[in-house]
Amino acid sequence: MYFVIETEEQLLQLPKPEKCFIELMSFSEPTHPHLTSPCVLYYNDFQKGYIIAINHSEAFPIPLASIQAFLGTIPKVYLLDKKWHSYYLDLPQGIDLYFTALDIDGKTEDFQCYTPVHLDYYEKFKFSPSVNDYIPISKHYERCECMFEMVKKYAGEESNTEWQNEYVKAYKWVEEQGILMDEKLFDKYFETPWKGRSIRDSRVYSCYNLYNITSRPTNAFNSINFLAFNKENSSRTAFIPENDAFVEFDFDGYHLRLVANLMNLELPQDQSVHEYLGKQYFDKSELTPEEYQESKKITFRQMYNGVEEEYKQIPLFEHIAEFVKAMWEEYKRVGYTTLPNGRKIVQENANPQKLFNYYIQCLETVNNVKKLSKLKEYLQNKQSKVLLVVYDSILVDYSADDGKRTLSDIKNILEEDRYRVKAKKGHNYNF
């Protein structure tokens, strides 16, 4: 038997537990959460599961604000995909069990538990914006009961939740802005299975996937990979600023500077790190363009393939070699490596360089979250906004009404802690 909560009185009569599990279902789960609305909410107090109607044709609706107030009284609210839920519910005490599963198992499982009815309807009505309203509430309950049984073992095993919350807030803030586009150019260069999943009012929405072992997010949604636009075919011209201009800030030698900071080594901010290292490689005060490109190749090898003997006299690479060796010895001793965000990872066929590369990717993400959090606070009363984060670059839709100092302030925020950034400006994304 299942229970449907469809009045506020029934909602208030539910027990007030110390913890619960929820799963909010929108009208169309493949659709970006900014472009759809809540349909029903599954709620389980770890004793009994319920369906709370929000906007389903089989039941009377309960205002989302009332559900928010009810959940706000519960100390721990477990869920799957806190970023997705945060489009509808503000739950500072929400704990994302995808992160917990990733921390414990080193991977995320498919906890979706779709019933045959769900699979059938999702195929027949794949382009419907309201497919979950067609599916009986009893089937939503059946699906969510299965999900709860799969994930309840992770409740109470969570760690690093404070950093995870900052991570979620930072990337949600970026993706919810959407990116204005020229529809003719977009249609020329891109194909999507169904535009309605990610596009509305000439604006396309990206969606960061945060569930990767190194925490480095990916961002492919509705058949568009927002982190790998083709720079050769002019497809980036399809994306245009809503304000006055796009300004892209690129970190110079990002991983090198991250590692240097980690080791408390200073790299010059007044020149490219590749130029600085190249002068040491070639023992010259000035590099030719060819030597500069060769310098980048040499540096890449030292960072990602292991430091070669002839370059260990350079202090940065000497410290990196020692760090990698110490990390590997510790891994062999305790059986795991602790990443900068607190995650302990165990890898099959691990080797020293692979662990170091994972560590750098996580270090990049931790620093990006720190920078984005500062930019979010700084830009909260301005029209300029961050639209994309692509590993070592940040795209800003700049409004001249905010004043030129805004660009200087953004640059200063990004360069805090001895980083160096370069800025490019354009009236589309084809820099």
Side-chain angles (χ1 to χ4, degrees), residues 248-266:
E248 185 177 57
F249 295 89
D250 285 295
F251 285 96
D252 169 74
Y254 196 20
H255 285 181
L256 291 161
R257 294 181 186 275
L258 284 164
V259 172
N261 280 352
L262 178 69
M263 299 172 182
N264 203 28
L265 296 173
E266 287 198 31

Side-chain angles (χ1 to χ4, degrees), residues 153-255:
K153 65 183 179 181
Y154 297 109
E157 301 297 323
E158 62 274 3
S159 60
N160 310 314
T161 55
E162 184 176 348
W163 184 82
Q164 291 165 7
N165 288 339
E166 291 303 309
Y167 183 32
V168 166
K169 285 190 288 187
Y171 281 93
K172 190 246 187 176
W173 172 65
V174 174
E175 72 181 32
E176 69 182 346
Q177 310 296 336
I179 307 172
L180 195 65
M181 63 181 187
D182 180 311
E183 293 199 50
K184 288 185 179 179
L185 288 175
F186 183 88
D187 290 342
K188 177 180 177 181
Y189 293 110
F190 298 96
E191 275 189 50
T192 62
W194 176 36
K195 283 189 174 183
R197 286 178 181 164
S198 61
I199 297 170
R200 182 179 294 169
D201 298 329
S202 298
R203 195 181 302 274
V204 60
Y205 291 86
S206 71
C207 188
Y208 284 94
N209 170 24
L210 307 183
Y211 307 110
N212 300 300
I213 191 64
T214 66
S215 296
R216 194 188 210 192
T218 54
N219 191 346
F221 188 69
N222 205 17
S223 296
I224 302 172
N225 189 340
F226 289 87
L227 305 188
F229 289 134
N230 190 328
K231 294 185 178 182
E232 308 301 326
N233 68 353
S234 298
S235 61
R236 289 158 58 112
T237 59
F239 303 101
I240 55 178
E242 179 181 358
N243 295 309
D244 295 289
F246 277 160
V247 181
E248 185 177 57
F249 295 89
D250 285 295
F251 285 96
D252 169 74
Y254 196 20
H255 285 181

Side-chain angles (χ1 to χ4, degrees), residues 225-412:
N225 189 340
F226 289 87
L227 305 188
F229 289 134
N230 190 328
K231 294 185 178 182
E232 308 301 326
N233 68 353
S234 298
S235 61
R236 289 158 58 112
T237 59
F239 303 101
I240 55 178
E242 179 181 358
N243 295 309
D244 295 289
F246 277 160
V247 181
E248 185 177 57
F249 295 89
D250 285 295
F251 285 96
D252 169 74
Y254 196 20
H255 285 181
L256 291 161
R257 294 181 186 275
L258 284 164
V259 172
N261 280 352
L262 178 69
M263 299 172 182
N264 203 28
L265 296 173
E266 287 198 31
L267 294 177
Q269 284 190 276
D270 60 351
Q271 62 179 309
S272 162
V273 72
H274 297 295
E275 181 181 356
Y276 168 73
L277 290 171
K279 291 174 181 177
Q280 297 178 68
Y281 301 152
F282 298 106
D283 194 22
K284 297 177 65 177
S285 59
E286 296 292 334
L287 299 180
T288 66
E290 293 75 18
E291 287 170 335
Y292 181 83
Q293 292 303 317
E294 182 63 23
S295 169
K296 293 175 71 173
K297 293 177 182 178
I298 293 171
T299 300
F300 186 93
R301 290 202 314 269
Q302 310 317 302
M303 281 291 291
Y304 306 114
N305 295 338
V307 178
E308 298 162 19
E309 198 64 37
E310 65 180 294
Y311 297 107
K312 286 184 180 179
Q313 81 277 7
I314 296 174
L316 176 62
F317 295 133
E318 178 187 8
H319 280 76
I320 288 175
E322 291 173 354
F323 182 85
V324 172
K325 180 180 178 181
M327 177 185 287
W328 180 239
E329 292 300 322
E330 179 71 3
Y331 182 87
K332 290 190 295 183
R333 186 178 70 83
V334 301
Y336 60 83
T337 290
T338 303
L339 297 180
N341 65 353
R343 175 171 294 148
K344 296 176 180 178
I345 62 166
V346 178
Q347 287 291 299
E348 291 185 14
N349 304 315
N351 62 64
Q353 201 60 41
K354 183 177 181 181
L355 292 177
F356 180 61
N357 292 344
Y358 278 21
Y359 193 94
I360 294 173
Q361 288 185 24
C362 185
L363 194 61
E364 170 196 284
T365 304
V366 167
N367 196 62
N368 283 352
V369 169
K370 178 181 176 181
K371 299 295 185 184
L372 289 172
S373 298
K374 289 187 176 183
L375 290 176
K376 183 174 183 285
E377 181 179 1
Y378 174 73
L379 293 172
Q380 62 181 336
N381 296 316
K382 300 182 185 297
Q383 295 181 51
S384 301
K385 51 194 175 182
V386 175
L387 300 184
L388 269 181
V389 180
V390 185
Y391 308 129
D392 60 354
S393 71
I394 293 177
L395 179 66
V396 174
D397 185 348
Y398 167 67
S399 171
D401 290 342
D402 293 334
K404 291 183 178 178
R405 182 174 175 177
T406 294
L407 294 177
S408 298
D409 288 344
I410 291 173
K411 186 173 186 288
N412 289 338

